[in-house]
Amino acid sequence: SYKFTPDVSVYATYAEGWKAGGVDRYPGRTDDLVYNDENSRNYEIGLKSVLLDRRLTLNAATYHIDIENQQLNNVIPDPRGGPVPITVIQDAAKSHVNGFEAEATFRPIRDLRFNGSVSYSDGVFDDFVRTFSATDSFDMSGTPFENVPKLTAYGSVLYSHDLPDGRRIDLFGEYSYIGKIIFQDNTRKSKAHDQLTTPAYDRINVSAALTLHSGLRFTLYVNNLLDSFDYTYASSDPFLGGDVFVVPLAPRQIGLRVSKTF
């Protein structure tokens, strides 16, 4: 690490990771029972800073990760011909991730604070063949990771103001964004190349709170202000396929919370 000033510094790190291999626990799995140790090498450079008379905090980092024998949970047809797919661990011989993260906090005046963060992670399989059976495999080399969004972002604003008689009012709003996510389509009739995708979504939550001198606090909140229909997971009918099922997030919620600090 190196400090340009007491409030601004840069750093670089190198780290290695390891995860033990093992044996798939399903006896019906007749090939590739053993999966290998997973190894990773992580390179990162970053910035940490406090600026504008300490009203702004800004941190950022970019990284590259090389992974060998990445252990992946895959759902495949039961080799014994059973009706329910089974979960096995398969190795991706080589893969990598490029990404960056940044976060900032800004307080222009005493009562007002802004927070924000953004994360981008681009994971790609470099050498991976997903195998369902001797006659059903798919070369996923060059395709992105499943189960993780590439881009996520968050922002919030908080206004806190002290009132007479020991009271305080807090006004809060937050915005979150989650990018699209790819999932393996793991029905009984799925093929090795079948995938599903959940679209990107964003949400806004707001609240207003009044705290009394006695420690009693009243918070009026609205979650999912725009009442959007969002979901985080998708899967097909496990036996027949076709119909897609999702796990929805909560619709708009309006409520009042009452709490007491002793």
Side-chain angles (χ1 to χ4, degrees), residues 56 79 117 173 188 230 262:
L56 173 64
S117 63
R188 184 170 63 90
D230 309 307
F262 296 95

Side-chain angles (χ1 to χ4, degrees), residues 50-121:
V50 182
L51 308 169
L52 301 179
D53 195 24
R54 307 192 71 81
R55 294 195 301 271
L56 173 64
T57 300
L58 176 62
N59 301 320
T62 183
Y63 58 87
H64 173 83
I65 306 173
D66 289 317
I67 310 173
E68 295 181 358
N69 298 320
Q70 183 180 2
Q71 297 170 7
L72 303 169
N73 283 319
N74 287 303
V75 180
I76 68 170
D78 188 343
R80 297 165 296 184
V84 180
I86 64 173
T87 301
V88 297
I89 297 178
Q90 295 177 336
D91 293 319
K94 291 184 179 180
S95 55
H96 73 272
V97 183
N98 291 317
F100 71 83
E101 298 175 340
E103 59 180 9
T105 300
F106 180 49
R107 177 166 274 175
I109 58 177
R110 178 177 178 271
D111 293 345
L112 184 62
R113 185 177 68 191
F114 296 91
N115 288 315
S117 63
V118 62
S119 176
Y120 178 80
S121 178

Side-chain angles (χ1 to χ4, degrees), residues 117-149:
S117 63
V118 62
S119 176
Y120 178 80
S121 178
D122 184 18
V124 177
F125 297 115
D126 298 317
D127 183 4
F128 175 43
V129 177
R130 173 180 281 158
T131 301
F132 275 15
S133 67
T135 58
D136 183 11
S137 62
F138 179 67
D139 188 354
M140 298 188 66
S141 302
T143 63
F145 286 0
E146 297 172 327
N147 306 314
V148 292

Side-chain angles (χ1 to χ4, degrees), residues 1 11-15 42-46 62-64:
S1 62
Y11 69 90
T13 64
Y14 171 77
N42 182 12
Y43 310 84
E44 180 176 329
I45 57 175
T62 183
Y63 58 87
H64 173 83

Side-chain angles (χ1 to χ4, degrees), residues 22-29 33 35 73 86-89:
V23 179
D24 284 321
R25 64 184 183 275
Y26 289 98
R29 181 70 169 156
L33 281 170
Y35 54 91
N73 283 319
I86 64 173
T87 301
V88 297
I89 297 178

Side-chain angles (χ1 to χ4, degrees), residues 212-252:
L212 305 181
H213 177 69
S214 62
L216 199 60
R217 181 179 175 90
F218 301 88
T219 304
L220 177 66
Y221 65 89
V222 182
N223 292 335
N224 189 11
L225 179 66
L226 302 181
D227 197 26
S228 58
F229 175 71
D230 309 307
Y231 52 91
T232 59
Y233 180 76
S235 63
S236 297
D237 183 289
F239 297 104
L240 302 177
D243 293 332
V244 176
F245 298 89
V246 300
V247 178
L249 298 175
R252 180 190 293 134

Side-chain angles (χ1 to χ4, degrees), residues 170-183:
D170 299 300
L171 304 177
F172 178 74
E174 62 179 355
Y175 169 85
S176 59
Y177 172 87
I178 305 295
K180 72 175 183 180
I181 305 176
I182 300 171
F183 296 94

